[in-house]
Amino acid sequence: MSGNDLLVEVYDYLGTALSSSLGGLPWDAVGAEEHSDLHRRLVDAIEARDESGARATAAAIVRLTRDHEAGAPRAAEEE
């Protein structure tokens, strides 16, 4: 873990809250895998204490989720 108990607690709380509010949104297999991969990368960056990597990955998660909610196609779907 990151060694930062507050960060872990906040991430757990926000993850649970977001999962509850977004859990009803259907994700296709590709989108679900991309979403899971980004969360794994975020945890890895936090564990490595890579602030810029964690920030960039968190921003990617927010963009992917926001685009998903809006029904925007992902780059792979646009081609």
Side-chain angles (χ1 to χ4, degrees):
M1 295 305 267
S2 70
N4 184 332
D5 292 336
L6 178 59
L7 179 60
V8 171
E9 185 177 336
V10 168
Y11 189 77
D12 285 344
Y13 174 78
L14 290 176
T16 301
L18 285 173
S19 293
S20 296
S21 67
L22 300 175
L25 296 175
W27 288 83
D28 62 21
V30 173
E33 181 56 35
E34 184 178 3
H35 193 254
S36 290
D37 180 59
L38 284 170
H39 278 277
R40 284 190 294 272
R41 287 174 40 201
L42 178 59
V43 170
D44 290 346
I46 292 169
E47 287 179 343
R49 297 177 184 215
D50 175 4
E51 181 180 342
S52 63
R55 182 175 288 136
T57 304
I61 291 168
V62 169
R63 278 191 305 275
L64 178 66
T65 303
R66 182 192 62 222
D67 291 349
H68 175 71
E69 287 180 15
R74 291 185 313 280
E77 293 176 343
E78 293 173 349
E79 297 173 355

Coordinates of all heavy atoms in Angstrom, one line a residue:
M1 N 0.8 -1.2 0.0 CA 0.0 0.0 0.0 C 0.9 1.2 0.0 O 2.1 1.2 0.1 CB -0.9 0.0 1.2 CG -1.9 -1.1 1.2 SD -3.0 -1.2 -0.2 CE -4.4 -0.3 0.3
S2 N 0.2 2.4 -0.1 CA 0.9 3.7 -0.2 C 1.6 4.1 1.1 O 2.5 4.9 1.1 CB 0.0 4.7 -0.6 OG -0.9 5.0 0.4
G3 N 1.1 3.5 2.2 CA 1.6 3.9 3.5 C 0.8 5.2 4.0 O 1.1 5.7 5.1
N4 N -0.1 5.6 3.2 CA -0.9 6.8 3.6 C -2.3 6.3 3.9 O -3.1 6.1 3.0 CB -0.9 7.8 2.4 CG -1.7 9.1 2.8 OD1 -2.6 9.0 3.6 ND2 -1.3 10.1 2.1
D5 N -2.6 6.1 5.2 CA -3.9 5.5 5.6 C -5.1 6.4 5.2 O -6.1 5.9 4.8 CB -3.9 5.3 7.1 CG -2.9 4.2 7.6 OD1 -2.6 3.3 6.7 OD2 -2.5 4.2 8.7
L6 N -4.9 7.7 5.3 CA -6.0 8.6 4.9 C -6.3 8.4 3.4 O -7.5 8.3 3.0 CB -5.6 10.0 5.2 CG -6.7 11.1 4.8 CD1 -8.0 10.8 5.5 CD2 -6.2 12.5 5.1
L7 N -5.3 8.4 2.6 CA -5.5 8.2 1.1 C -6.2 6.9 0.8 O -7.1 6.9 0.0 CB -4.2 8.3 0.4 CG -4.2 8.1 -1.1 CD1 -5.0 9.2 -1.8 CD2 -2.8 8.1 -1.7
V8 N -5.8 5.8 1.5 CA -6.4 4.5 1.3 C -7.9 4.6 1.7 O -8.8 4.1 1.0 CB -5.7 3.4 2.1 CG1 -6.5 2.1 2.1 CG2 -4.3 3.2 1.5
E9 N -8.2 5.2 2.8 CA -9.6 5.4 3.3 C -10.4 6.2 2.4 O -11.5 5.8 2.0 CB -9.6 6.0 4.7 CG -11.0 6.1 5.3 CD -10.9 6.6 6.8 OE1 -9.9 6.5 7.4 OE2 -12.0 7.1 7.2
V10 N -9.9 7.3 1.9 CA -10.6 8.2 0.9 C -10.9 7.4 -0.3 O -12.0 7.4 -0.9 CB -9.9 9.5 0.7 CG1 -10.4 10.2 -0.5 CG2 -9.9 10.4 1.9
Y11 N -9.9 6.7 -0.9 CA -10.0 6.0 -2.1 C -11.1 4.9 -1.9 O -11.9 4.7 -2.8 CB -8.7 5.4 -2.5 CG -8.8 4.7 -3.9 CD1 -8.8 5.5 -5.1 CD2 -8.9 3.4 -4.1 CE1 -8.8 5.0 -6.3 CE2 -9.0 2.8 -5.3 CZ -8.9 3.6 -6.5 OH -9.0 3.1 -7.7
D12 N -11.1 4.1 -0.8 CA -12.1 3.1 -0.5 C -13.5 3.7 -0.5 O -14.4 3.2 -1.1 CB -11.8 2.4 0.8 CG -10.6 1.4 0.7 OD1 -10.2 1.1 -0.5 OD2 -10.1 1.0 1.7
Y13 N -13.6 4.9 0.2 CA -14.9 5.5 0.3 C -15.4 6.0 -1.0 O -16.6 5.7 -1.4 CB -14.8 6.7 1.3 CG -16.1 7.5 1.3 CD1 -17.2 7.0 2.1 CD2 -16.2 8.7 0.6 CE1 -18.4 7.7 2.1 CE2 -17.4 9.4 0.7 CZ -18.5 8.9 1.4 OH -19.7 9.6 1.4
L14 N -14.6 6.7 -1.8 CA -15.0 7.2 -3.1 C -15.3 6.0 -4.1 O -16.2 6.1 -4.8 CB -13.9 8.1 -3.7 CG -13.8 9.5 -2.9 CD1 -12.6 10.3 -3.5 CD2 -15.1 10.2 -3.0
G15 N -14.4 5.0 -4.0 CA -14.7 3.9 -4.9 C -16.0 3.2 -4.6 O -16.8 2.9 -5.6
T16 N -16.4 3.1 -3.4 CA -17.7 2.5 -3.0 C -18.8 3.4 -3.4 O -19.8 2.9 -4.0 CB -17.7 2.2 -1.5 OG1 -16.7 1.4 -1.1 CG2 -19.1 1.7 -1.1
A17 N -18.7 4.7 -3.2 CA -19.7 5.6 -3.6 C -19.9 5.7 -5.1 O -21.0 5.7 -5.6 CB -19.4 7.0 -3.0
L18 N -18.8 5.7 -5.8 CA -18.9 5.7 -7.3 C -19.4 4.4 -7.8 O -20.2 4.5 -8.8 CB -17.5 6.0 -7.9 CG -17.1 7.5 -7.8 CD1 -15.6 7.6 -8.3 CD2 -18.0 8.4 -8.6
S19 N -19.0 3.3 -7.3 CA -19.5 2.0 -7.7 C -21.1 2.0 -7.5 O -21.8 1.5 -8.4 CB -18.9 0.9 -7.0 OG -17.5 0.8 -7.3
S20 N -21.5 2.5 -6.4 CA -23.0 2.5 -6.1 C -23.7 3.4 -7.1 O -24.8 3.0 -7.6 CB -23.2 3.0 -4.7 OG -22.7 2.1 -3.8
S21 N -23.2 4.5 -7.4 CA -23.9 5.4 -8.3 C -23.7 5.1 -9.8 O -24.6 5.4 -10.6 CB -23.4 6.9 -8.1 OG -22.1 7.1 -8.5
L22 N -22.6 4.5 -10.1 CA -22.4 4.1 -11.5 C -22.6 2.7 -11.8 O -22.6 2.3 -13.0 CB -20.9 4.5 -11.9 CG -20.5 5.9 -11.8 CD1 -19.1 6.1 -12.0 CD2 -21.4 6.8 -12.7
G23 N -22.9 1.9 -10.8 CA -23.1 0.4 -11.0 C -24.1 0.0 -12.0 O -24.1 -1.0 -12.6
G24 N -25.1 0.9 -12.2 CA -26.2 0.6 -13.1 C -25.9 0.9 -14.6 O -26.7 0.5 -15.4
L25 N -24.8 1.5 -14.8 CA -24.5 1.9 -16.2 C -23.9 0.6 -16.9 O -23.0 0.0 -16.4 CB -23.4 3.0 -16.3 CG -23.9 4.3 -15.7 CD1 -22.7 5.3 -15.7 CD2 -25.0 4.9 -16.5
P26 N -24.4 0.3 -18.1 CA -23.9 -0.9 -18.8 C -22.5 -0.5 -19.4 O -22.4 0.5 -20.1 CB -24.9 -1.2 -19.8 CG -25.6 0.1 -20.0 CD -25.6 0.8 -18.7
W27 N -21.5 -1.4 -19.2 CA -20.2 -1.2 -19.8 C -20.1 -2.4 -20.8 O -20.3 -3.5 -20.4 CB -19.1 -1.3 -18.8 CG -19.0 -0.1 -17.9 CD1 -19.7 0.2 -16.8 CD2 -18.1 1.0 -18.1 NE1 -19.3 1.4 -16.3 CE2 -18.3 1.9 -17.0 CE3 -17.1 1.3 -19.1 CZ2 -17.6 3.1 -16.9 CZ3 -16.4 2.5 -18.9 CH2 -16.6 3.4 -17.9
D28 N -19.6 -2.1 -22.0 CA -19.3 -3.3 -22.8 C -18.0 -3.9 -22.4 O -17.3 -3.3 -21.5 CB -19.2 -2.8 -24.3 CG -18.1 -1.8 -24.6 OD1 -17.1 -1.7 -23.8 OD2 -18.2 -1.1 -25.6
A29 N -17.6 -5.0 -22.9 CA -16.4 -5.7 -22.4 C -15.1 -4.9 -22.5 O -14.3 -4.9 -21.6 CB -16.3 -7.0 -23.1
V30 N -15.0 -4.2 -23.7 CA -13.8 -3.4 -23.9 C -13.7 -2.2 -22.9 O -12.7 -2.0 -22.3 CB -13.8 -2.9 -25.4 CG1 -12.6 -1.9 -25.6 CG2 -13.7 -4.0 -26.3
G31 N -14.8 -1.5 -22.7 CA -14.9 -0.4 -21.8 C -14.6 -0.9 -20.4 O -13.9 -0.2 -19.6
A32 N -15.2 -2.0 -20.0 CA -15.0 -2.5 -18.6 C -13.6 -2.9 -18.4 O -13.0 -2.6 -17.3 CB -15.9 -3.7 -18.4
E33 N -12.9 -3.5 -19.4 CA -11.5 -3.9 -19.2 C -10.6 -2.6 -19.1 O -9.7 -2.6 -18.3 CB -11.1 -4.8 -20.4 CG -9.6 -5.2 -20.3 CD -9.3 -6.0 -19.0 OE1 -10.2 -6.7 -18.5 OE2 -8.2 -5.8 -18.5
E34 N -10.9 -1.6 -20.0 CA -10.2 -0.4 -19.9 C -10.3 0.3 -18.6 O -9.3 0.8 -18.0 CB -10.6 0.6 -21.0 CG -9.9 1.8 -21.1 CD -10.3 2.7 -22.3 OE1 -11.3 2.4 -23.0 OE2 -9.7 3.8 -22.5
H35 N -11.5 0.3 -18.0 CA -11.8 0.9 -16.7 C -11.1 0.2 -15.6 O -10.4 0.8 -14.8 CB -13.3 0.9 -16.5 CG -13.8 1.7 -15.4 ND1 -14.2 1.2 -14.2 CD2 -13.9 3.0 -15.2 CE1 -14.5 2.1 -13.3 NE2 -14.4 3.3 -14.0
S36 N -11.1 -1.2 -15.7 CA -10.4 -2.0 -14.7 C -8.9 -1.8 -14.7 O -8.2 -1.6 -13.7 CB -10.7 -3.4 -14.8 OG -12.0 -3.7 -14.5
D37 N -8.4 -1.7 -16.0 CA -6.9 -1.5 -16.2 C -6.5 -0.2 -15.6 O -5.5 -0.1 -14.9 CB -6.6 -1.6 -17.7 CG -5.1 -1.4 -17.9 OD1 -4.3 -2.2 -17.4 OD2 -4.8 -0.4 -18.6
L38 N -7.3 0.9 -15.8 CA -6.9 2.2 -15.3 C -6.9 2.2 -13.8 O -6.0 2.8 -13.2 CB -7.9 3.2 -15.8 CG -7.7 3.7 -17.3 CD1 -8.9 4.5 -17.7 CD2 -6.4 4.4 -17.4
H39 N -7.9 1.5 -13.2 CA -7.9 1.4 -11.7 C -6.7 0.6 -11.2 O -6.1 1.0 -10.2 CB -9.2 0.8 -11.2 CG -10.3 1.8 -11.1 ND1 -10.5 2.6 -10.1 CD2 -11.3 2.1 -12.0 CE1 -11.5 3.4 -10.3 NE2 -12.0 3.1 -11.5
R40 N -6.3 -0.4 -11.9 CA -5.1 -1.1 -11.5 C -3.8 -0.2 -11.6 O -3.0 -0.2 -10.7 CB -4.9 -2.4 -12.3 CG -5.8 -3.6 -11.9 CD -5.4 -4.8 -12.7 NE -5.6 -4.8 -14.1 CZ -6.7 -5.0 -14.7 NH1 -7.8 -5.4 -14.0 NH2 -6.8 -4.9 -16.0
R41 N -3.8 0.5 -12.7 CA -2.6 1.4 -12.9 C -2.6 2.5 -11.8 O -1.6 2.9 -11.3 CB -2.7 2.1 -14.3 CG -2.3 1.1 -15.3 CD -2.5 1.6 -16.8 NE -2.1 3.0 -16.9 CZ -2.5 3.7 -17.9 NH1 -3.4 3.3 -18.8 NH2 -2.1 5.0 -18.0
L42 N -3.8 3.0 -11.4 CA -3.9 4.0 -10.3 C -3.3 3.5 -9.0 O -2.5 4.1 -8.3 CB -5.3 4.5 -10.2 CG -5.5 5.5 -9.0 CD1 -4.7 6.8 -9.3 CD2 -7.0 5.9 -9.0
V43 N -3.8 2.3 -8.7 CA -3.3 1.6 -7.4 C -1.8 1.4 -7.5 O -1.0 1.7 -6.5 CB -4.0 0.3 -7.1 CG1 -3.4 -0.5 -6.0 CG2 -5.5 0.6 -6.8
D44 N -1.3 1.0 -8.6 CA 0.2 0.8 -8.8 C 0.9 2.1 -8.6 O 2.0 2.1 -8.0 CB 0.5 0.2 -10.2 CG 0.0 -1.3 -10.3 OD1 -0.3 -1.9 -9.3 OD2 0.0 -1.8 -11.4
A45 N 0.4 3.2 -9.2 CA 1.1 4.5 -9.1 C 1.0 5.0 -7.7 O 2.0 5.5 -7.2 CB 0.4 5.5 -10.0
I46 N -0.1 4.8 -7.0 CA -0.1 5.2 -5.6 C 0.9 4.4 -4.7 O 1.6 4.9 -3.9 CB -1.6 5.0 -5.0 CG1 -2.5 6.1 -5.7 CG2 -1.6 5.2 -3.5 CD1 -4.0 5.9 -5.4
E47 N 0.9 3.1 -5.0 CA 1.9 2.2 -4.2 C 3.3 2.7 -4.5 O 4.1 2.6 -3.6 CB 1.7 0.8 -4.5 CG 0.4 0.2 -3.9 CD 0.2 -1.3 -4.3 OE1 0.8 -1.8 -5.2 OE2 -0.6 -1.9 -3.6
A48 N 3.6 3.1 -5.7 CA 4.9 3.5 -6.1 C 5.2 4.9 -5.7 O 6.3 5.4 -5.9 CB 5.1 3.3 -7.6
R49 N 4.2 5.6 -5.1 CA 4.3 7.0 -4.7 C 4.6 7.9 -5.9 O 5.4 8.9 -5.8 CB 5.3 7.2 -3.6 CG 4.8 6.4 -2.4 CD 5.8 6.5 -1.2 NE 5.3 5.7 -0.1 CZ 5.5 6.0 1.1 NH1 6.1 7.1 1.5 NH2 5.0 5.2 2.0
D50 N 4.1 7.5 -7.1 CA 4.2 8.3 -8.3 C 3.1 9.2 -8.4 O 2.0 9.0 -9.0 CB 4.2 7.3 -9.5 CG 4.3 7.9 -10.9 OD1 4.4 9.2 -10.9 OD2 4.3 7.2 -11.8
E51 N 3.3 10.4 -7.9 CA 2.2 11.4 -7.9 C 1.7 11.8 -9.2 O 0.5 11.9 -9.5 CB 2.7 12.7 -7.1 CG 1.6 13.8 -7.0 CD 2.1 15.0 -6.3 OE1 3.2 14.9 -5.5 OE2 1.5 16.0 -6.4
S52 N 2.6 12.1 -10.2 CA 2.2 12.5 -11.5 C 1.5 11.4 -12.2 O 0.5 11.6 -12.9 CB 3.4 13.1 -12.3 OG 4.4 12.1 -12.5
G53 N 2.0 10.1 -12.1 CA 1.3 9.0 -12.7 C 0.0 8.8 -12.1 O -1.0 8.5 -12.9
A54 N -0.2 8.9 -10.8 CA -1.5 8.7 -10.2 C -2.4 9.8 -10.6 O -3.6 9.5 -10.9 CB -1.3 8.7 -8.6
R55 N -2.0 11.0 -10.7 CA -2.8 12.1 -11.1 C -3.3 11.9 -12.6 O -4.5 12.1 -12.9 CB -2.1 13.5 -11.0 CG -2.9 14.7 -11.3 CD -2.2 16.0 -11.1 NE -2.1 16.1 -9.6 CZ -1.1 16.5 -9.0 NH1 0.0 16.8 -9.6 NH2 -1.1 16.7 -7.7
A56 N -2.4 11.6 -13.4 CA -2.7 11.4 -14.8 C -3.7 10.2 -15.0 O -4.7 10.3 -15.8 CB -1.5 11.1 -15.7
T57 N -3.5 9.1 -14.2 CA -4.4 8.0 -14.3 C -5.8 8.3 -13.8 O -6.8 7.9 -14.3 CB -3.7 6.8 -13.6 OG1 -2.4 6.5 -14.2 CG2 -4.6 5.5 -13.8
A58 N -5.8 9.0 -12.6 CA -7.1 9.4 -12.1 C -7.9 10.3 -13.1 O -9.1 10.1 -13.2 CB -6.9 10.1 -10.8
A59 N -7.2 11.2 -13.7 CA -7.8 12.0 -14.7 C -8.4 11.2 -15.9 O -9.5 11.4 -16.4 CB -6.8 13.1 -15.2
A60 N -7.6 10.2 -16.3 CA -8.1 9.3 -17.4 C -9.3 8.5 -16.9 O -10.2 8.3 -17.7 CB -7.0 8.3 -17.8
I61 N -9.4 8.1 -15.7 CA -10.6 7.4 -15.1 C -11.8 8.3 -15.2 O -12.9 7.9 -15.6 CB -10.3 6.9 -13.7 CG1 -9.3 5.7 -13.7 CG2 -11.6 6.4 -13.1 CD1 -8.8 5.3 -12.3
V62 N -11.6 9.6 -14.8 CA -12.7 10.5 -14.8 C -13.2 10.8 -16.2 O -14.4 10.8 -16.5 CB -12.3 11.9 -14.1 CG1 -13.3 13.0 -14.3 CG2 -12.0 11.6 -12.6
R63 N -12.2 11.0 -17.1 CA -12.6 11.2 -18.5 C -13.4 10.0 -19.1 O -14.4 10.2 -19.7 CB -11.4 11.4 -19.4 CG -10.9 12.9 -19.3 CD -9.8 13.1 -20.4 NE -8.7 12.2 -20.4 CZ -7.6 12.3 -19.6 NH1 -7.5 13.4 -18.8 NH2 -6.7 11.4 -19.7
L64 N -12.8 8.8 -18.9 CA -13.5 7.6 -19.4 C -14.9 7.5 -18.8 O -15.9 7.2 -19.5 CB -12.7 6.3 -19.0 CG -13.3 5.0 -19.5 CD1 -13.3 4.9 -21.0 CD2 -12.5 3.9 -18.9
T65 N -15.1 7.7 -17.5 CA -16.4 7.6 -16.9 C -17.3 8.6 -17.3 O -18.5 8.4 -17.7 CB -16.2 7.6 -15.3 OG1 -15.3 6.6 -14.9 CG2 -17.5 7.4 -14.6
R66 N -16.8 9.9 -17.4 CA -17.7 11.0 -17.9 C -18.1 10.7 -19.4 O -19.3 10.9 -19.7 CB -16.9 12.3 -17.8 CG -17.7 13.5 -18.3 CD -16.8 14.7 -18.5 NE -15.9 14.4 -19.6 CZ -14.6 14.8 -19.5 NH1 -14.1 15.5 -18.5 NH2 -13.8 14.5 -20.5
D67 N -17.2 10.3 -20.2 CA -17.5 10.0 -21.6 C -18.5 8.8 -21.7 O -19.5 8.9 -22.5 CB -16.3 9.7 -22.4 CG -15.4 10.9 -22.6 OD1 -15.8 12.0 -22.3 OD2 -14.3 10.7 -23.1
H68 N -18.3 7.9 -20.8 CA -19.3 6.7 -20.8 C -20.7 7.2 -20.4 O -21.7 6.8 -21.0 CB -18.7 5.7 -19.8 CG -19.7 4.5 -19.6 ND1 -19.9 3.6 -20.6 CD2 -20.5 4.2 -18.6 CE1 -20.8 2.7 -20.2 NE2 -21.1 3.0 -18.9
E69 N -20.8 8.0 -19.4 CA -22.1 8.5 -18.9 C -22.7 9.3 -20.0 O -24.0 9.3 -20.2 CB -21.9 9.4 -17.7 CG -21.6 8.7 -16.4 CD -21.5 9.6 -15.3 OE1 -21.9 10.8 -15.3 OE2 -20.9 9.2 -14.2
A70 N -21.9 10.1 -20.8 CA -22.5 10.9 -21.9 C -22.8 10.1 -23.1 O -23.4 10.6 -24.1 CB -21.5 12.0 -22.2
G71 N -22.3 8.8 -23.2 CA -22.5 8.0 -24.3 C -21.6 8.3 -25.5 O -21.8 7.9 -26.6
A72 N -20.5 9.0 -25.1 CA -19.5 9.3 -26.2 C -18.7 8.1 -26.6 O -18.3 7.3 -25.7 CB -18.5 10.4 -25.7
P73 N -18.5 7.9 -27.9 CA -17.7 6.7 -28.3 C -16.2 6.9 -27.9 O -15.7 8.0 -27.8 CB -17.8 6.7 -29.8 CG -18.1 8.1 -30.1 CD -18.9 8.7 -29.0
R74 N -15.6 5.8 -27.5 CA -14.2 5.8 -27.2 C -13.4 5.8 -28.5 O -13.9 5.6 -29.6 CB -13.8 4.5 -26.4 CG -14.4 4.5 -25.0 CD -13.9 3.3 -24.3 NE -14.0 2.0 -25.0 CZ -15.1 1.3 -25.2 NH1 -16.2 1.7 -24.7 NH2 -15.1 0.2 -25.9
A75 N -12.1 6.2 -28.4 CA -11.3 6.4 -29.6 C -11.3 5.1 -30.5 O -11.4 5.2 -31.7 CB -9.9 6.8 -29.2
A76 N -11.3 4.0 -29.9 CA -11.2 2.7 -30.6 C -12.5 2.5 -31.4 O -12.6 1.9 -32.5 CB -11.0 1.5 -29.7
E77 N -13.6 3.0 -30.9 CA -14.9 2.9 -31.6 C -15.1 3.9 -32.7 O -15.9 3.6 -33.6 CB -16.1 3.1 -30.5 CG -16.1 2.0 -29.5 CD -17.2 2.3 -28.5 OE1 -17.7 3.5 -28.4 OE2 -17.6 1.4 -27.7
E78 N -14.3 5.0 -32.7 CA -14.5 6.0 -33.7 C -13.8 5.6 -35.0 O -14.2 6.2 -36.0 CB -13.9 7.3 -33.2 CG -14.7 7.9 -32.0 CD -14.0 9.1 -31.4 OE1 -12.9 9.4 -31.7 OE2 -14.7 9.8 -30.6
E79 N -12.9 4.7 -35.0 CA -12.1 4.3 -36.2 C -13.0 3.5 -37.1 O -13.8 2.8 -36.8 CB -10.9 3.6 -35.8 CG -9.9 4.6 -35.0 CD -8.7 3.8 -34.5 OE1 -8.6 2.6 -34.6 OE2 -7.9 4.5 -33.9

